[in-house]
Amino acid sequence: LELYTKASALFQGDQVGTDAAEALKRLRADPGFKKELDAAQALKNVETSAEKFKPCKSTKKLDMAGCEDCRKKNATLLGSLVGQLKAIVQKFEGTNAAKGAAEVLKAWGM
């Protein structure tokens, strides 16, 4: 999406710019693409929220929830993230982000 946007602007008046603008229109009109994009943004929001985890042994923020010590330290935030991840899996079923959310939940034992 970003690439097509840049290409259509940079090559405006050229065939490359025209092709990029047309591809951009097709992507924006594609419900599957929109669903993937929305799902990816929702998962990115969860990852951003995970940055608030209090430190423990693990170095990866989303992996930290698998550590029992981290679960205790971050119980409220973890509960919120689990709810968000489950919502992504349900709302955006079949998307790459939903698969990623399901993998995180599985790693967390949920």
Side-chain angles (χ1 to χ4, degrees):
L1 188 62
E2 289 176 19
L3 179 62
Y4 285 138
T5 301
K6 287 179 184 178
S8 67
L10 287 172
F11 297 101
Q12 189 173 9
D14 186 73
Q15 187 61 41
V16 172
T18 303
D19 291 347
E22 289 175 8
L24 190 58
K25 285 179 189 175
R26 283 192 306 273
L27 280 177
R28 288 184 174 150
D30 181 352
F33 178 78
K34 174 105 171 85
K35 185 176 179 181
E36 283 285 351
L37 191 61
D38 291 346
Q41 184 58 52
L43 187 57
K44 180 68 176 167
N45 291 342
V46 171
E47 291 169 352
T48 299
S49 294
E51 294 296 321
K52 297 174 186 167
F53 272 138
K54 293 176 185 152
C56 73
K57 299 176 224 170
S58 181
T59 57
K60 293 183 180 178
K61 294 294 184 180
L62 288 178
D63 288 345
M64 288 182 9
C67 169
E68 192 58 40
D69 183 43
C70 290
R71 286 179 185 258
K72 290 175 184 174
K73 287 182 182 178
N74 299 289
T76 303
L77 179 57
L78 182 59
S80 172
L81 295 179
V82 166
Q84 291 175 49
L85 289 167
K86 286 181 178 181
I88 291 169
V89 170
Q90 194 171 39
K91 183 176 180 181
F92 300 109
E93 183 179 356
T95 65
N96 291 325
K99 291 173 189 170
E103 288 174 12
V104 171
L105 286 169
K106 183 178 178 183
W108 290 356
M110 306 291 170

